Amino acid sequence: MEEGEGSSDMEFTNVDTAADSLDSSAIFHVVTDILGFILFMHQQIPSVLQDITQEFDELHSEYKELEVELAKSEAKAISTRRKQAARKREVKMGIRRLEKLMKCITNLKTALQSMFAEVPNIEKISLVLGPSPLRPLHVYELCFPHGRATSGDFSRSKIAETLSRKAIRALISRGAGSDSYGGPTKLFLLVKAPSSLNLPLHFLPKREFRQNRKNVPFRLRFRCRTRNLEMNAQPSDCASSAGLLDSTSTDLIWFQCQHTIKGLAFRTTPQED
């Protein structure tokens, strides 16, 4: 990975892959992995997204098992039934604590899948953490190569796994998450694309939207091998369009996803030395 050239406000970190191209499925998983990283590193969720998803699924399974056990527990001791009933209440509270978060994440993933299934060429994806896109606390911009193919199969591939790890390591090396807002806030997703594209209804055009210049984004630029099987020595189409990223051209506009993710209110436990 190399630091991009240019002024600090347009600096990119390049994330290279040995693959000849990236399909929409790989990009979908990279975006969702980075999204989970942002939420965790900025203390919007208490653990990594994979762990929270697993915990949520396990709570649902345990709740169903407890319902079955309680329905069969008439012959059991009163103390046993009380313990099971108390545990059922605890599990239900745990489900309620995570339910809204998981619903928001599911809705946003569904929106991304529908977008990538219909539109392969998106100029740029921006993940904004803060009260609103106009008042960001942190901004992460992801720029992908053009000319990729759509994919109806959104299963995770080894390419997506490797690229996600590289991208997250790049963000950590640049200090992403080192300073965090001390409370729950929202994560917004925006995409930049030609105004002529008909994006799914999950995305609303924001023709007059301009990014806040006071907040310098973390910019990642993903690059693939060329047809000659050599890493791009020159910036990719997306990279060379750096001048277009903040262009006032009416051809490229921002579309904002209607689904947002609000961080959880939780207390972090101080780590012992």
Side-chain angles (χ1 to χ4, degrees):
M1 287 169 287
E2 304 169 357
E3 293 299 327
E5 297 178 354
S7 61
S8 60
D9 64 331
M10 286 304 300
E11 182 179 300
F12 285 91
T13 295
N14 294 327
V15 183
D16 293 330
T17 175
D20 295 331
S21 62
L22 292 177
D23 63 19
S24 54
S25 174
I27 295 175
F28 164 77
H29 286 290
V30 170
V31 173
T32 54
D33 286 347
I34 293 175
L35 182 151
F37 164 81
I38 293 170
L39 292 172
F40 176 59
M41 291 299 290
H42 289 289
Q43 301 178 16
Q44 298 302 304
I45 53 178
S47 59
V48 295
L49 190 55
Q50 292 89 336
D51 290 348
I52 291 179
T53 302
Q54 182 178 349
E55 178 188 354
F56 188 66
D57 293 340
E58 289 175 351
L59 286 172
H60 270 289
S61 297
E62 185 178 358
Y63 187 81
K64 291 178 181 178
E65 291 173 1
L66 286 168
E67 283 189 320
V68 173
E69 288 296 322
L70 283 169
K72 298 178 180 179
S73 65
E74 292 183 2
K76 294 183 179 180
I78 295 177
S79 60
T80 301
R81 293 203 302 271
R82 285 177 176 173
K83 287 181 181 179
Q84 289 178 333
R87 178 56 185 165
K88 182 181 176 182
R89 288 193 294 271
E90 291 176 3
V91 171
K92 189 173 183 178
M93 289 177 62
I95 291 173
R96 285 181 175 177
R97 179 175 65 89
L98 298 176
E99 198 165 30
K100 188 173 182 180
L101 171 69
M102 297 309 300
K103 183 178 180 180
C104 291
I105 291 173
T106 299
N107 288 340
L108 194 145
K109 285 184 175 182
T110 300
L112 277 174
Q113 285 186 352
S114 65
M115 179 187 73
F116 284 129
E118 296 181 23
V119 184
N121 291 325
I122 296 297
E123 178 70 18
K124 181 174 61 171
I125 295 175
S126 182
L127 300 171
V128 179
L129 197 67
S132 76
L134 293 175
R135 294 185 295 146
L137 297 171
H138 305 279
V139 179
Y140 296 82
E141 292 180 0
L142 314 177
C143 189
F144 295 96
H146 288 306
R148 58 184 174 271
T150 58
S151 174
D153 179 14
F154 283 93
S155 58
R156 183 180 290 271
S157 65
K158 292 186 68 175
I159 292 175
E161 290 278 2
T162 302
L163 207 56
S164 290
R165 287 197 297 269
K166 283 186 176 182
I168 289 173
R169 283 200 300 266
L171 290 173
I172 292 174
S173 69
R174 291 189 58 188
S178 57
D179 57 332
S180 297
Y181 175 68
T185 187
K186 293 181 179 180
L187 187 143
F188 302 87
L189 185 143
L190 299 97
V191 299
K192 199 165 196 179
S195 58
S196 58
L197 289 180
N198 292 321
L199 291 185
L201 296 178
H202 298 286
F203 294 87
L204 299 177
K206 299 288 183 180
R207 293 181 179 276
E208 303 301 321
F209 176 75
R210 296 291 180 269
Q211 290 182 320
N212 191 325
R213 293 280 185 173
K214 295 180 181 179
N215 190 297
V216 179
F218 287 89
R219 287 188 167 101
L220 294 184
R221 178 171 53 199
F222 296 82
R223 304 190 304 181
C224 298
R225 293 195 299 180
T226 64
R227 291 182 180 178
N228 295 326
L229 303 183
E230 296 178 353
M231 279 295 180
N232 303 330
Q234 299 297 325
S236 64
D237 291 344
C238 186
S240 64
S241 66
L244 294 177
L245 296 181
D246 296 302
S247 172
T248 56
S249 169
T250 56
D251 183 47
L252 289 171
I253 66 171
W254 286 102
F255 294 81
Q256 182 177 336
C257 183
Q258 296 186 64
H259 305 294
T260 61
I261 300 174
K262 185 175 181 180
L264 295 177
F266 68 96
R267 295 181 180 180
T268 55
T269 303
Q271 296 181 351
E272 297 180 358
D273 296 333

